[in-house]
Amino acid sequence: MIFDTLDHLPDYLPLMPQLETVLSVLRTPDFIHKPAGRYETDNPAVRFNIDEYTTVVEPKRFEFHQKYADVQIMLQGREIHHTALRDDVLTVKNFDAQKDIAFFDASPVGEYLLEEGRFCIYFPNEPHRSQLAIDESMPVRKVIFKVLGNL
């Protein structure tokens, strides 16, 4: 897991070369005006979703993926993210391989603030949950890049 500011995103290219596609999409002139939805890129290992929602006070369940890393970038708003121990995923029996996701309950071990100008990367098998309100619910706009490959 990585939490950092967007100006440092290029620093992680040696760790995840697919971030070059992420950076290319972010530099696209009309990117910020794209409507919410799912998008493909020229790189078959990278796709993205632009999500708009209202943060919640009650935490949702944790999730993890086995094939894809999540690169989450806050475009507007703020939310709390929780992480859990990687070993917590070993007991999960309801993994949906077709959707590459499982939801489960766990105890948080880390809490992070994702706000405009920041990003996080959750690697495969790293439990995380997001969309948590800070003090009260607020609308947010976020892009989530799904990155497939050797991580």
Side-chain angles (χ1 to χ4, degrees):
M1 177 210 51
I2 297 170
F3 262 79
D4 208 337
T5 57
L6 275 176
D7 56 325
H8 293 141
L9 187 59
D11 298 342
Y12 298 97
L13 281 166
L15 178 64
M16 183 187 280
Q18 302 92 325
L19 289 175
E20 188 59 55
T21 301
V22 172
L23 290 165
S24 177
V25 169
L26 293 175
R27 289 185 207 114
T28 305
D30 66 336
F31 171 75
I32 198 69
H33 302 292
K34 283 188 176 295
R38 181 180 169 150
Y39 297 89
E40 301 295 325
T41 69
D42 292 338
N43 182 342
V46 180
R47 59 181 165 82
F48 64 96
N49 298 321
I50 296 178
D51 292 339
E52 295 176 344
Y53 54 86
T54 301
T55 57
V56 297
V57 175
E58 286 296 316
K60 296 182 174 191
R61 301 178 81 198
F62 279 89
E63 67 181 67
F64 74 97
H65 316 282
Q66 290 181 339
K67 294 179 182 176
Y68 288 88
D70 277 359
V71 179
Q72 299 190 23
I73 301 171
M74 185 60 70
L75 302 174
Q76 294 174 329
R78 302 170 6 145
E79 67 184 14
I80 297 292
H81 285 221
H82 287 162
T83 57
L85 295 174
R86 188 181 280 253
D87 288 347
D88 289 340
V89 306
L90 299 175
T91 61
V92 174
K93 294 180 173 52
N94 64 343
F95 189 82
D96 184 334
Q98 186 175 21
K99 294 181 180 178
D100 189 42
I101 196 165
F103 296 97
F104 66 103
D105 295 314
S107 296
V109 295
E111 181 174 287
Y112 303 90
L113 172 64
L114 188 65
E115 59 187 351
E116 293 173 42
R118 292 188 182 174
F119 74 93
C120 60
I121 299 174
Y122 296 110
F123 294 97
N125 296 310
E126 289 186 335
H128 56 282
R129 69 179 170 197
S130 62
Q131 301 183 8
L132 298 168
I134 297 167
D135 295 318
E136 58 186 42
S137 295
M138 72 177 326
V140 300
R141 180 172 163 86
K142 180 170 71 174
V143 60
I144 302 170
F145 288 88
K146 305 298 277 183
V147 179
L148 177 68
N150 298 330
L151 308 173

